[in-house]
Amino acid sequence: MTVLTKAQALQVLRRAYGPDRAEALIKRLPDRIDLDSDADTRLLADLGVTRDGLFDALGAEL
């Protein structure tokens, strides 16, 4: 199980998408995000955040 806290997610989102988009997204995220959970994966996808998108934005940084 891969779980991120909201603070950890904010760090990744800032690096990937910049501070403005990260701040807008973080308000809609739960306190803990389980990356192996279908529900949390759907929530992220609904917000436009996908694993592939993060890899594209961050390259090998993840």
Side-chain angles (χ1 to χ4, degrees):
M1 174 168 51
T2 306
V3 177
L4 295 176
T5 64
K6 192 180 263 194
Q8 290 169 321
L10 181 57
Q11 286 179 321
V12 172
L13 292 170
R14 279 185 179 143
R15 284 196 328 255
Y17 302 116
D20 292 338
R21 183 158 180 218
E23 290 299 327
L25 291 174
I26 203 69
K27 295 172 186 170
R28 299 183 56 198
L29 294 176
D31 290 332
R32 294 174 52 104
I33 303 155
D34 181 352
L35 298 177
D36 297 320
S37 159
D38 289 338
D40 284 354
T41 301
R42 275 192 306 274
L43 171 65
L44 291 173
D46 289 346
L47 295 174
V49 178
T50 63
R51 190 173 295 216
D52 289 342
L54 288 173
F55 278 121
D56 287 345
L58 296 172
E61 230 181 296
L62 278 180

